[in-house]
Amino acid sequence: MNIQGKLIIIGGAVDKGSFTETDLDKNAAKNLNFFEAGILKRIIDESKHKGNSRIEVITTASKIPKEIGPEYVKALHYLGADNVDVLDIVRREQASEPEILDRLKAADVVMFTGGDQLRLTSILGGTAFHDILLDKYHNEDFVYAGTSAGAAAASNNMIYQGSSSEALLKGEVKITSGLGLIDGVIIDTHFVQRGRIGRLFQAVVGNPKVLGIGLGEDTGLLITHNTKMEAIGSGLVIIVDGREIKDTNLTQVELGQPISINHLVTHVMSINDTFDLTTFKMTIKSSQYV
C-alpha cells in the first residue's frame, strides 16, 4: 500500500504520567519545552498548506487537557501556524459526533499530545474517528504528529506499561494494540532519560519481526510512506532490530526472571540520519567514511 500521509513521532518532554510513571510538574507550560520548536516547525513545513494548514491539537491522552492544549496552540501560532484549535475528546461517544468528525475530515494535521496512551486508544480505538484518521493517513496529504503517548500509540503494537528498572524481567512489559498507522514497529518514548532500553529489548525479543524504536526527549522521527525514517530534533533515536537474534531463554524462564538475548542488533540515529524500513539499512548523514 502506498501511504500518502506522513507520520511525525516525538519522544516528548516533561509529560504528565505517560505509561505508569508520574513526573508531575505544576507548571504545565514546561510540558511543551521550546526544544520542540524545531520539530513543531517541521510539522508545519511538512503539512499540505504550511502555515495555512488546518491543525487540530488532540488532548485525549492528557489528564489536564485545558492546560496542555492552549500551550500547543500558542507555540504553533508563534511558529507561523494561524489555523489551529484544540479537539478534546474525553468520552468514546464524542468520537462519533458529526461535528468532531467534520473537524477531523477538514484537518491537514493532527497533533496528539502526551499523557496516557492506553487512555488514548481506549477512547478512540474502533470508533468512526479512528476509521477516518486511518483513511486520511492512507489516502491524503495528511500529517499525524504525536508526542510521548501520541507517539507510542501510532503503531499497531503499543507498549502501555512496564517499569524501566525491571524491564528485562519476563512479563514486566505490557503490550496491546495501538492506533495502527504503522505496522512492523513498536515505539517507546522518553527513552534515554528514563532508561527504557530494557523495555524495548523485551518487546522485540518476544516478536523479533517487530522493529523497536526508542525516541529520546528533544527527538522525533519523520516517517514518509511508512518506508523511510528521518531523525529530527536534537536527541537520539535507538533502533532495535531482532531479526538476527541467535538465542534467548525467553520461553524457559519463569515470570519475573531475567531474560537473556544473544545477538540483538541496535542502531543509534541522530539528526538527519535516515533508516529504510524496507531494507533495514541506516544511513548516517555526516558519516566519517563518506
Side-chain angles (χ1 to χ4, degrees):
M1 182 182 293
N2 186 18
I3 303 294
Q4 300 300 308
K6 298 171 184 173
L7 186 62
I8 297 179
I9 49 175
I10 308 161
V14 181
D15 75 290
K16 307 300 184 226
S18 178
F19 302 104
T20 56
E21 301 172 26
T22 56
D23 187 10
L24 300 180
D25 188 322
K26 292 180 180 178
N27 184 357
K30 288 186 179 178
N31 195 57
L32 182 63
N33 291 338
F34 275 94
F35 77 76
E36 279 193 0
I39 297 175
L40 291 181
K41 184 66 166 65
R42 185 66 180 269
I43 292 170
I44 296 168
D45 291 344
E46 292 290 338
S47 67
K48 185 175 182 179
H49 302 295
K50 308 300 189 279
N52 295 319
S53 289
R54 177 63 183 163
I55 302 175
E56 294 284 3
V57 177
I58 300 176
T59 55
T60 302
S62 178
K63 293 180 181 178
I64 50 171
K66 296 190 185 307
E67 298 170 64
I68 297 305
E71 292 297 329
Y72 276 94
V73 173
K74 191 186 307 179
L76 289 162
H77 276 311
Y78 175 79
L79 295 168
D82 299 321
N83 193 5
V84 187
D85 207 346
V86 177
L87 190 53
D88 183 33
I89 304 169
V90 296
R91 300 184 310 278
R92 278 186 66 82
E93 312 90 78
Q94 290 178 276
S96 298
E97 292 177 359
E99 179 186 352
I100 286 177
L101 298 181
D102 287 344
R103 285 177 61 178
L104 176 59
K105 289 174 184 176
D108 301 300
V109 179
V110 290
M111 176 72 208
F112 282 81
T113 69
D116 181 349
Q117 57 266 44
L118 195 57
R119 174 178 168 81
L120 183 58
T121 56
S122 65
I123 291 174
L124 297 181
T127 64
F129 186 96
H130 188 195
D131 291 340
I132 293 169
L133 181 71
L134 290 172
D135 182 70
K136 286 178 70 71
Y137 181 69
H138 288 153
N139 300 306
E140 298 181 20
D141 184 359
F142 173 74
V143 176
Y144 173 106
T147 185
S148 189
S155 54
N156 194 47
N157 297 287
M158 179 184 83
I159 297 174
Y160 72 94
Q161 185 175 324
S163 70
S164 300
S165 60
E166 298 177 341
L168 268 176
L169 301 181
K170 183 177 178 178
E172 286 297 323
V173 176
K174 306 295 190 293
I175 298 171
T176 188
S177 295
L179 294 176
L181 282 91
I182 183 169
D183 200 7
V185 304
I186 192 163
I187 301 160
D188 209 350
T189 60
H190 301 278
F191 194 70
V192 179
Q193 289 77 358
R194 299 189 186 178
R196 287 177 167 168
I197 195 164
R199 298 200 332 179
L200 207 53
F201 285 172
Q202 181 162 170
V204 170
V205 74
N207 185 3
K209 184 180 179 181
V210 174
L211 188 75
I213 299 174
L215 298 168
E217 295 174 5
D218 310 15
T219 309
L221 278 176
L222 166 63
I223 304 175
T224 52
H225 307 301
N226 279 12
T227 57
K228 180 184 176 183
M229 304 194 300
E230 177 191 346
I232 56 179
S234 63
L236 299 174
V237 178
I238 310 296
I239 304 295
V240 180
D241 184 351
R243 293 173 308 134
E244 296 182 26
I245 289 174
K246 297 185 184 303
D247 197 7
T248 177
N249 64 351
L250 180 65
T251 63
Q252 302 302 111
V253 298
E254 302 293 329
L255 288 174
Q257 294 302 304
I259 299 169
S260 303
I261 310 169
N262 180 13
H263 208 264
L264 184 61
V265 175
T266 61
H267 308 276
V268 182
M269 299 174 68
S270 61
I271 188 167
N272 297 327
D273 293 344
T274 58
F275 190 94
D276 190 318
L277 288 167
T278 59
T279 64
F280 289 83
K281 300 296 184 185
M282 175 181 162
T283 301
I284 297 177
K285 178 71 172 179
S286 302
S287 170
Q288 65 185 19
Y289 301 120
V290 173

